[in-house]
């Protein structure tokens, strides 16, 4: 179990379907069809195969993107993916879409402590 980044939702997580090494890129942007801010996630071939199977088996359920024990986004799977790219939509602003994309691209950044 873990909380959303806002701390207002508790998520019960299952086993990981893909990890950060299978995300090759992520970008925030504006979807021209819906005029909403979205995050486009590019996956490696291995990640795409696993994610395609996961989405096909879990339509209508949530899929959590988790980093450092916090859920960054938990969109509902609207349909099966097919290929190396998927789109995360939701109630994103330009800034929140770009922040999620950066977190998915880079993962946890190292903390540097100095005296």
């Amino acid at each position: 179990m873990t909380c959303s980044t806002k701390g207002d939702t508790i998520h019960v997580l299952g086993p990981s379907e893909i990890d950060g090494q299978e995300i090759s890129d992520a970008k925030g942007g504006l979807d021209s069809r819906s005029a909403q801010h979205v995050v486009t996630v590019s996956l490696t071939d291995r990640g795409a195969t696993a994610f395609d199977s996961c989405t096909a088996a879990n339509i209508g359920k949530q899929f959590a993107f988790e980093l450092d024990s916090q859920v960054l986004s938990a969109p509902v799977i609207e349909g099966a993916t097919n290929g190396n790219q998927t789109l995360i939509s939701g109630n994103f602003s330009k800034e929140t879409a770009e922040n999620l994309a950066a977190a998915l691209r880079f993962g946890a950044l190292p903390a540097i402590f100095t005296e």
Side-chain angles (χ1 to χ4, degrees), residues 20-97:
Q21 294 177 343
E22 279 125 11
I23 295 175
S24 59
D25 198 13
K27 295 181 180 175
L30 192 63
D31 182 12
S32 60
R33 294 178 310 225
S34 68
Q36 292 183 337
H37 291 281
V38 296
V39 177
T40 302
V41 181
S42 300
L43 302 167
T44 65
D45 290 340
R46 186 173 135 196
T49 299
F51 196 65
D52 291 350
S53 296
C54 174
T55 58
N58 292 287
I59 294 171
K61 297 179 182 175
Q62 284 184 293
F63 183 90
F65 290 92
E66 177 259 332
L67 175 67
D68 294 338
S69 299
Q70 284 197 320
V71 173
L72 302 176
S73 181
V76 173
I77 298 170
E78 295 179 357
T81 59
N82 185 12
N84 290 65
Q85 281 196 337
T86 190
L87 191 72
I88 305 171
S89 61
N91 192 19
F92 295 119
S93 67
K94 179 181 179 185
E95 182 180 12
T96 57

